Amino acid sequence: MRMSSILGIALVSLSLGCSKQPPREPVTLTFLDIEWESPDQLSGLAQDLQEFTRETGIQVKRLPAPDSSHNQLEEWRELLQKEAGGPDVVGVDVIWPGMLNQYLMDLKPYLADELSSQDPVVVANYMVGDKLVAMPRHAYIGVLLYRTDLLQRYGYRQPPKTWDELEAMATRIQAGERARGAQDFWGFVWQGGAGEGLTCAGLEWQASQSGGKIIEDNRSISVNNPETIRAWQQAKRWVGSISPPGVTAYAKWDAENVWASGRAAFFRGWVSDYSLISTHVPPSHTTRFGVTSLPGGKGGRIGALGGNGLGVSQNSAHPHEAIELIRFLLRRDLQLIRATEHSSPPPEIELKELPFILGLYPQLKLRENGGGVVARPSIVAGQKYEDVSAAYFRALHSALTGEKEPSVAVAALQKELIELTGFPAGPPSPKRRINPQE
C-alpha cells in the first residue's frame, strides 16, 4: 500500500475519533410539590417517582416546600421568575392559576386525552381564558367527618344534613360526653383562624344558604346579603357553645388534632378520592369514623373546592420530560382510583352521601343525595385574589370574635371589595345545580 493511502486512512480514523460525542448525561427534573398529606403518608409519591425513573431514566429532584399556602405562593413566584435553575414541574394550588399564569406553560395542547377524563368543574379552576395553567391532579373538597360510635350511642341513624341538625346533634352529644367525664369534649371543630381556611368555611356557610360566591362569575360583588349575614350569625353562635372558644385561632392542624385525639363529635375537614384511599385514620378511642357531605341550608349541601394540579415552568429546560412526569403521575393515580371499582372501602371508614365531585367506589352509589361544590373566586379576582380572600377572612373573623356585628362586617367587606377590585355590587347568582348530572 502506498504511503499516501496509509496516511489518508489514519487521518480519517483520527477525524472520526475526534468527532465522537460524549454520552449525554441523564435528565434531572426539579419538582416543586405541594405536600397535602402528613409526612408519614408521603412514601407513595416517593415510590411513584422512583418507578418513573426506572421506566424513563429521568431523575426527579424534589424541593421542600413551606407549610402555609401564603409562604408557598411567595416561594413559587420567586423560583418561577428565574430564567435558569428554577423548577421544571410545580404543584399548583387550585387558587393559584390566576396569580401564576404568566410563569407557566399552556398544557392543553399536550394533555388533551388526560383532560377529557377530568371533571369540568375542577378543570375550570385551572383555566385562565383558554389556557390550561396546570393539570388537575388531586381535587379536595370540604366534608363533614363524624364519630360513628357516638351517633350510635345517642340514637342517631344518620349524620346531620342541615346546619340546624348539626347544631342540635353536636349540642346533645357534647353534653352527654361531658356528663360521662370528658370535660374537654366538643361537638364541632373547624378551622376558624384568620386565614385561607376560614375563607373556605365561610364560603361554604353562605353558599349553602343561597348567599352567593363573594364575587360572582359576572364580576359583581354579592357578599352583602341577608343570607350571608344569617350564615355568619349562626357560625358565631357556635363559638364557645358547640365549638371551643379558641376555635377562632385554629389553623388546619389545630382542628385536626382535636378531632384525631377523639375530643370532638364532628369535624370539618378535606378529602379527595386519593386521600380517602390512602391517608385517613380513625380518631383515637374509636375504630371507625364517617365521611359525608357538609350540612346545608336552603341552597343545598356545598363543599369548597380545594386541591392541587401540576404545571410546567415557562423557563423549564426540559418541558417534554416534565410533561411526561405529569402524564405518569396522573396515570398512577387513575390506576389507584380504578381499583376501587372492584373493592370495598376500608373497614374503618363509613361513607355516606358523598360530594358528587368524588368518584371512588362507583358501584356502591355513595354519592346519592350528596352535596355540590363551590369554588373560591380566584379566577375572576385574578392577581387580586390574595387581597380579596384576606379582606373576606378578616371580616368574617371579626364577626366570629364579636369585634363587629355580622351585618356591619358584611357591609364593610362589600365596600372594601368594590374598592379593591373595581367591580360593582350585585345580587347572588341564582341557585346552581347541586347534582351536576341533573
Side-chain angles (χ1 to χ4, degrees):
M1 181 179 291
R2 296 173 58 182
M3 182 60 68
S4 59
S5 298
I6 296 173
L7 182 59
I9 292 172
L11 290 173
V12 169
S13 299
L14 182 61
S15 175
L16 290 173
C18 291
S19 65
K20 184 178 179 181
Q21 297 296 318
R24 291 181 60 188
E25 292 186 5
V27 169
T28 297
L29 295 174
T30 303
F31 184 17
L32 189 58
D33 187 33
I34 298 175
E35 298 180 350
W36 279 77
E37 292 81 23
S38 57
D40 60 342
Q41 301 290 347
L42 294 175
S43 59
L45 177 58
Q47 292 173 6
D48 286 346
L49 296 180
Q50 289 174 2
E51 181 61 29
F52 175 72
T53 298
R54 282 194 293 268
E55 287 189 11
T56 65
I58 301 169
Q59 303 286 330
V60 182
K61 176 184 178 182
R62 292 178 65 195
L63 298 180
D67 289 335
S68 74
S69 177
H70 174 75
N71 291 337
Q72 286 176 352
L73 179 59
E74 291 304 307
E75 182 170 318
W76 266 232
R77 282 183 173 136
E78 180 180 345
L79 293 174
L80 287 170
Q81 289 175 15
K82 293 183 177 180
E83 294 186 2
D88 298 290
V89 179
V90 293
V92 179
D93 191 290
V94 70
I95 59 173
W96 292 352
M99 295 180 279
L100 297 181
N101 173 38
Q102 60 186 310
Y103 307 118
L104 299 172
M105 289 176 52
D106 181 7
L107 297 180
K108 191 162 64 170
Y110 308 100
L111 295 168
D113 290 342
E114 289 79 7
L115 195 61
S116 64
S117 63
Q118 295 280 337
D119 189 313
V121 174
V122 178
V123 171
N125 288 273
Y126 293 93
M127 299 288 298
V128 175
D130 197 42
K131 176 181 177 181
L132 180 65
V133 177
M135 187 70 185
R137 189 185 179 202
H138 294 154
Y140 281 74
I141 188 168
V143 295
L144 184 71
L145 283 74
Y146 59 94
R147 289 272 300 273
T148 55
D149 59 324
L150 294 182
L151 263 61
Q152 183 178 14
R153 178 179 295 167
Y154 292 91
Y156 296 114
R157 299 179 62 184
Q158 301 288 339
K161 297 184 179 182
T162 69
W163 294 115
D164 290 342
E165 287 180 1
L166 169 71
E167 192 170 322
M169 292 170 68
T171 299
R172 182 173 173 227
I173 294 172
Q174 177 178 300
E177 290 304 290
R178 290 187 176 185
R180 291 167 59 94
Q183 294 302 314
D184 60 347
F185 188 90
W186 294 96
F188 180 40
V189 292
W190 38 280
Q191 185 176 342
E196 188 65 30
L198 185 57
T199 295
C200 296
L203 181 56
E204 291 164 345
W205 300 334
Q206 69 176 66
S208 68
Q209 300 290 2
S210 297
K213 298 167 56 178
I214 307 172
I215 303 177
E216 304 300 322
D217 294 338
N218 65 0
R219 297 192 171 194
S220 64
I221 309 295
S222 64
V223 70
N224 188 9
N225 62 75
E227 288 75 20
T228 294
I229 294 170
R230 278 193 289 268
W232 287 21
Q233 288 170 335
Q234 183 173 38
K236 178 184 177 183
R237 189 165 66 239
W238 298 336
V239 178
S241 59
I242 62 172
S243 302
V247 74
T248 53
Y250 278 13
K252 178 178 183 291
W253 296 114
D254 298 313
E256 193 161 296
N257 286 338
V258 174
W259 162 255
S261 68
R263 293 181 289 122
F266 300 104
F267 166 52
R268 188 271 178 211
W270 292 99
V271 299
S272 68
D273 286 335
Y274 180 82
S275 73
L276 280 174
I277 298 169
S278 305
T279 65
H280 278 294
V281 294
S284 62
H285 313 304
T286 181
T287 57
R288 298 192 81 222
F289 70 103
V291 180
T292 189
S293 296
L294 283 168
K298 64 181 180 179
R301 303 171 72 178
I302 300 176
L305 177 67
N308 57 80
L310 297 170
V312 177
S313 170
Q314 290 274 22
N315 295 322
S316 172
H318 309 290
H320 173 76
E321 291 83 356
I323 291 170
E324 284 304 306
L325 175 58
I326 293 175
R327 186 175 285 119
F328 175 87
L329 292 175
L330 293 173
R331 186 167 65 249
R332 297 283 284 195
D333 288 345
L334 184 59
Q335 291 169 352
L336 185 66
I337 301 304
R338 282 181 173 171
T340 68
E341 296 176 3
H342 307 288
S343 63
S344 299
E348 66 270 17
I349 306 179
E350 176 179 276
L351 303 176
K352 287 183 178 290
E353 300 180 351
L354 294 179
F356 289 106
I357 200 173
L358 300 176
L360 72 175
Y361 309 110
Q363 76 280 11
L364 301 180
K365 299 181 179 180
L366 298 173
R367 301 187 302 168
E368 289 185 352
N369 302 313
V373 61
V374 62
R376 285 163 281 177
S378 56
I379 295 296
V380 67
Q383 295 288 342
K384 295 186 177 180
Y385 175 73
E386 272 193 297
D387 295 330
V388 166
S389 179
Y392 182 86
F393 66 65
R394 285 195 301 263
L396 175 52
H397 194 261
S398 71
L400 295 174
T401 59
E403 180 184 344
K404 294 181 181 178
E405 285 299 316
S407 58
V408 174
V410 165
L413 172 62
Q414 174 132 318
K415 181 179 179 181
E416 182 177 359
L417 293 181
I418 290 172
E419 294 175 351
L420 181 63
T421 64
F423 298 159
S429 59
K431 180 181 175 181
R432 303 182 332 280
R433 295 177 301 168
I434 296 301
N435 184 344
Q437 298 176 342
E438 290 178 350

